[in-house]
Amino acid sequence: PRSALPADQRALILKWIQQGAQNLSCDSACDTTNVTFSTSVMPLITLKCKGCHSGATPSGNVSLTNYTQVKATVTNGTLLGSILHQTAYSAMPQPVANGPLPDCDIRKIQIWVAAGSPDN
């Protein structure tokens, strides 16, 4: 019921297909110079995790709504185990078919954990 794409947009799609239809992105470089809980880690958790890991019945009975809860998952190993899709852990985020978090997000969390998971 919608009109066809204009010729210039069809040509752009055709060129993308002819070049291999690669899933490329133009994201900015991964900035890991000042990783903190409040500016780097919690925003990722809010965006990628809290949809399932909050409320009265959080998924897996794991709530990630504040520093104390996130720190507990660092201490017991489930945060890194899950986001790295390690064998003994439930791979996150779900659905697994969507793949793991972007490498940059994982690096930020790893840097924060390696620094002792401070409440900063």
Side-chain angles (χ1 to χ4, degrees):
R2 295 185 184 223
S3 58
L5 290 173
D8 62 326
Q9 289 182 348
R10 290 192 312 266
L12 184 61
I13 292 169
L14 176 62
K15 182 177 180 181
W16 173 70
I17 291 169
Q18 290 171 335
Q19 292 175 341
Q22 297 178 26
N23 185 13
L24 303 174
S25 64
C26 297
D27 295 336
S28 60
C30 182
D31 183 7
T32 59
T33 55
N34 189 26
V35 174
T36 66
F37 177 75
S38 61
T39 63
S40 306
V41 176
M42 195 61 196
L44 290 173
I45 289 174
T46 298
L47 181 65
K48 306 281 184 160
C49 309
K50 278 178 66 175
C52 296
H53 293 286
S54 64
T57 55
S59 180
N61 207 23
V62 175
S63 189
L64 298 173
T65 61
N66 59 48
Y67 170 78
T68 302
Q69 294 169 339
V70 174
K71 174 67 173 170
T73 65
V74 170
T75 301
N76 68 23
T78 58
L79 182 66
L80 286 179
S82 294
I83 66 170
L84 293 172
H85 292 198
Q86 293 176 338
T87 303
Y89 299 93
S90 296
M92 294 293 157
Q94 290 288 337
V96 175
N98 289 347
L101 291 173
D103 291 340
C104 181
D105 294 346
I106 292 172
R107 278 196 309 275
K108 288 177 183 180
I109 293 170
Q110 289 174 316
I111 288 168
W112 174 72
V113 170
S117 312
D119 186 5
N120 56 0

